Coordinates of all heavy atoms in Angstrom, one line a residue:
M315 N -21.3 -47.4 62.3 CA -21.7 -46.6 61.1 C -20.6 -46.6 60.1 O -20.9 -46.7 58.9 CB -22.0 -45.2 61.6 CG -23.3 -45.0 62.2 SD -24.7 -45.2 61.1 CE -24.4 -43.8 60.0
E316 N -19.4 -46.5 60.5 CA -18.2 -46.6 59.6 C -18.2 -47.9 58.8 O -18.0 -47.9 57.6 CB -16.9 -46.4 60.4 CG -16.7 -45.0 61.0 CD -15.4 -45.0 61.8 OE1 -14.6 -45.9 61.7 OE2 -15.2 -43.9 62.5
R317 N -18.4 -49.0 59.5 CA -18.4 -50.3 58.8 C -19.6 -50.4 57.9 O -19.5 -51.0 56.8 CB -18.4 -51.4 59.8 CG -18.2 -52.8 59.2 CD -17.8 -53.8 60.2 NE -17.7 -55.1 59.6 CZ -16.6 -55.6 58.9 NH1 -15.6 -54.8 58.7 NH2 -16.6 -56.8 58.5
A318 N -20.8 -49.9 58.3 CA -22.0 -50.0 57.5 C -21.8 -49.2 56.2 O -22.2 -49.6 55.1 CB -23.2 -49.5 58.3
L319 N -21.2 -48.0 56.3 CA -20.9 -47.2 55.1 C -19.9 -47.9 54.2 O -20.0 -47.9 52.9 CB -20.4 -45.9 55.5 CG -21.4 -44.9 56.2 CD1 -20.6 -43.7 56.7 CD2 -22.5 -44.5 55.2
Q320 N -19.0 -48.6 54.7 CA -18.0 -49.4 53.9 C -18.6 -50.4 53.1 O -18.2 -50.7 51.9 CB -16.9 -50.0 54.9 CG -15.8 -50.8 54.2 CD -14.9 -51.4 55.2 OE1 -14.9 -51.1 56.4 NE2 -14.0 -52.3 54.7
F321 N -19.7 -51.1 53.6 CA -20.3 -52.2 52.9 C -21.7 -51.8 52.4 O -22.5 -52.6 51.9 CB -20.5 -53.4 53.8 CG -19.2 -54.1 54.1 CD1 -18.4 -53.7 55.2 CD2 -18.7 -55.1 53.3 CE1 -17.2 -54.4 55.5 CE2 -17.5 -55.8 53.5 CZ -16.8 -55.4 54.6
N322 N -22.0 -50.4 52.4 CA -23.3 -49.9 51.9 C -24.5 -50.6 52.5 O -25.4 -51.1 51.9 CB -23.4 -50.1 50.4 CG -22.3 -49.3 49.6 OD1 -22.1 -48.1 50.0 ND2 -21.7 -49.9 48.7
I323 N -24.5 -50.7 53.8 CA -25.5 -51.3 54.6 C -26.3 -50.3 55.4 O -25.7 -49.6 56.3 CB -25.0 -52.4 55.6 CG1 -24.3 -53.5 54.8 CG2 -26.1 -53.0 56.4 CD1 -23.6 -54.5 55.7
P324 N -27.6 -50.0 55.1 CA -28.3 -49.0 55.8 C -29.0 -49.6 57.1 O -29.0 -50.8 57.2 CB -29.4 -48.6 54.8 CG -29.7 -49.9 54.0 CD -28.3 -50.6 53.9
G325 N -29.4 -48.7 58.0 CA -30.2 -49.2 59.1 C -29.6 -49.2 60.4 O -30.2 -49.5 61.4
V326 N -28.3 -48.8 60.5 CA -27.6 -48.7 61.8 C -28.1 -47.5 62.6 O -28.0 -46.3 62.1 CB -26.1 -48.6 61.7 CG1 -25.5 -48.4 63.1 CG2 -25.6 -49.9 61.1
T327 N -28.8 -47.7 63.7 CA -29.3 -46.6 64.6 C -28.7 -46.8 66.0 O -28.3 -47.9 66.4 CB -30.8 -46.5 64.6 OG1 -31.3 -47.7 65.2 CG2 -31.4 -46.4 63.2
Y328 N -28.8 -45.7 66.7 CA -28.3 -45.7 68.1 C -29.1 -46.7 68.9 O -28.6 -47.5 69.7 CB -28.4 -44.3 68.8 CG -27.8 -44.2 70.1 CD1 -26.4 -43.9 70.3 CD2 -28.6 -44.4 71.3 CE1 -25.9 -43.8 71.6 CE2 -28.0 -44.3 72.5 CZ -26.7 -44.0 72.7 OH -26.1 -43.9 73.9
R329 N -30.4 -46.7 68.7 CA -31.3 -47.7 69.4 C -31.0 -49.1 69.1 O -31.0 -50.0 69.9 CB -32.8 -47.3 69.2 CG -33.7 -48.2 70.0 CD -35.2 -47.7 69.8 NE -36.1 -48.5 70.6 CZ -37.4 -48.2 70.7 NH1 -37.9 -47.2 70.1 NH2 -38.1 -49.0 71.5
L330 N -30.8 -49.3 67.8 CA -30.4 -50.7 67.4 C -29.1 -51.2 68.0 O -29.0 -52.3 68.4 CB -30.4 -50.8 65.8 CG -30.0 -52.2 65.3 CD1 -31.2 -53.2 65.6 CD2 -29.9 -52.1 63.7
V331 N -28.2 -50.3 68.1 CA -26.9 -50.6 68.7 C -27.2 -51.0 70.2 O -26.6 -52.0 70.7 CB -25.9 -49.4 68.7 CG1 -24.7 -49.7 69.6 CG2 -25.5 -49.2 67.2
Q332 N -28.0 -50.3 70.9 CA -28.3 -50.6 72.3 C -29.0 -52.0 72.4 O -28.6 -52.8 73.2 CB -29.3 -49.6 72.9 CG -28.7 -48.3 73.3 CD -29.7 -47.4 73.9 OE1 -30.8 -47.1 73.3 NE2 -29.4 -46.9 75.1
G333 N -29.9 -52.3 71.4 CA -30.6 -53.6 71.4 C -29.6 -54.7 71.2 O -29.7 -55.8 71.8
V334 N -28.7 -54.6 70.2 CA -27.7 -55.7 69.9 C -26.7 -55.9 71.1 O -26.5 -57.0 71.5 CB -27.0 -55.4 68.6 CG1 -25.9 -56.4 68.4 CG2 -28.0 -55.4 67.4
V335 N -26.2 -54.8 71.6 CA -25.2 -54.9 72.7 C -25.8 -55.5 73.9 O -25.2 -56.3 74.6 CB -24.6 -53.5 73.0 CG1 -23.8 -53.5 74.2 CG2 -23.8 -53.0 71.8
K336 N -27.1 -55.1 74.3 CA -27.7 -55.5 75.5 C -28.6 -56.7 75.3 O -29.2 -57.2 76.3 CB -28.5 -54.4 76.1 CG -27.6 -53.2 76.6 CD -28.5 -52.1 77.1 CE -29.1 -52.5 78.4 NZ -29.9 -51.3 79.0
H337 N -28.7 -57.2 74.1 CA -29.6 -58.3 73.7 C -31.0 -58.0 74.2 O -31.7 -58.8 74.8 CB -29.1 -59.6 74.4 CG -27.9 -60.1 73.8 ND1 -27.7 -60.7 72.6 CD2 -26.6 -60.2 74.4 CE1 -26.5 -61.0 72.4 NE2 -25.8 -60.7 73.5
I338 N -31.5 -56.8 73.8 CA -32.9 -56.4 74.2 C -33.7 -56.3 73.0 O -33.2 -56.1 71.8 CB -32.9 -55.1 75.0 CG1 -32.3 -53.9 74.2 CG2 -32.2 -55.2 76.3 CD1 -32.4 -52.6 74.8
I339 N -35.0 -56.3 73.2 CA -36.0 -56.2 72.1 C -36.8 -54.9 72.3 O -36.9 -54.5 73.5 CB -36.9 -57.4 72.0 CG1 -37.6 -57.7 73.3 CG2 -36.1 -58.6 71.5 CD1 -38.5 -58.8 73.3
P340 N -37.4 -54.3 71.3 CA -38.1 -53.1 71.5 C -39.4 -53.4 72.4 O -40.0 -54.4 72.2 CB -38.5 -52.6 70.1 CG -38.4 -53.9 69.3 CD -37.3 -54.7 69.9

């Protein structure tokens, strides 16, 4: 979230973090 705010990038969510870290899809 800190890095996304630094570059004005929306869309970081807890669930998305889980998906990227674990390489999972909804």
